[in-house]
Every structure is written in C-alpha cells, then in structure tokens.
C-alpha cells in the first residue's frame, strides 16, 4: 500500500520538477538576465537539499517501477512482491548514501568551508 502511494507521490514530484525545469530553461529566450538570476539561486545550499530530494524521488520511482514490472510480468512476482519491496528499499538506501557526497558536497563546503 505505502509503496503504491510513494510511487504516485514521487511521480508527481518528478513531473513538477520537469515542469519547472522547462519553464526556467525557457527564460533564456525571454530574458537572459532573469535566467542567470534563477540559475544563481540554484547554487544555494537549500536548493542542494532539494536536489538530493529529487535524486531520492527519481531513484525510488525507478527502482519501484522495476519492481512493479516484475510483479506484473513475472509469473511468481505477486508471491515475492514484499521481498522485492524490501530489496528496493535496501538498494535505494545504499544508492542514497552513495549520493550524499556528489550531491551535497558543494553545499557542505559552502556552509562549513573546505
């Protein structure tokens, strides 16, 4: 049940990110200065945390999507869906731990110095 909800929520969050991304990229045609101002806000530590959240949403959505495909198309998928969910969660945690430095490293150096 919760994986179903999380899959829908992450899908909606990814959709809204893509919508905002298209809008801010379109700013370059309207006003290059406005585009530069928006891109400058993306270099803040708060946005780095949001980027980490985006990575979390994309990874969970992708991994859970593979699980859903396995449940739908593998003849034994329904029987092992709970084990596959825990595998997805474990892989997601490992990948998110691995993403801490690449995504949040710049923000940490900006906040705490190098």
């Amino acid at each position: 049940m919760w994986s179903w909800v999380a899959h829908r929520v992450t899908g909606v969050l990814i959709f809204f990110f893509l919508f905002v991304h298209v809008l801010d990229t379109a700013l370059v045609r309207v006003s290059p200065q406005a585009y530069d101002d928006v891109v400058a806000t993306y270099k803040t530590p708060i946005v780095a945390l949001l980027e980490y959240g985006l990575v979390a949403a994309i990874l969970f959505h992708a991994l859970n999507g593979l699980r859903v495909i396995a449940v739908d198309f593998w003849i034994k998928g329904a029987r092992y869906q709970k084990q596959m969910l825990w595998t997805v969660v474990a892989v997601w945690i490992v990948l998110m731990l691995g993403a801490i430095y690449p995504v949040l490293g710049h923000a940490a150096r900006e906040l705490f110095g190098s």
Side-chain angles (χ1 to χ4, degrees), residues 25-102:
T25 304
L27 269 177
V28 79
R29 300 191 89 196
V30 176
S31 168
Q33 181 58 42
Y35 175 78
D36 291 340
D37 293 342
V38 169
V39 169
T41 63
Y42 291 162
K43 297 176 182 176
T44 63
I46 292 172
V47 175
L49 285 173
L50 293 173
E51 285 177 346
Y52 189 71
L54 176 65
V55 170
I58 290 171
L59 276 175
F60 179 81
H61 193 79
L63 293 170
N64 193 54
L66 293 173
R67 182 189 72 86
V68 169
I69 290 170
V71 169
D72 287 346
F73 292 108
W74 183 32
I75 203 149
K76 296 179 183 179
R79 184 181 319 156
Y80 294 109
Q81 68 176 330
K82 189 174 279 193
Q83 291 90 338
M84 287 189 291
L85 175 62
W86 287 112
T87 302
V88 162
V89 170
V91 170
W92 179 78
I93 288 171
V94 168
L95 291 175
M96 288 308 298
L97 289 172
I100 288 174
Y101 181 75

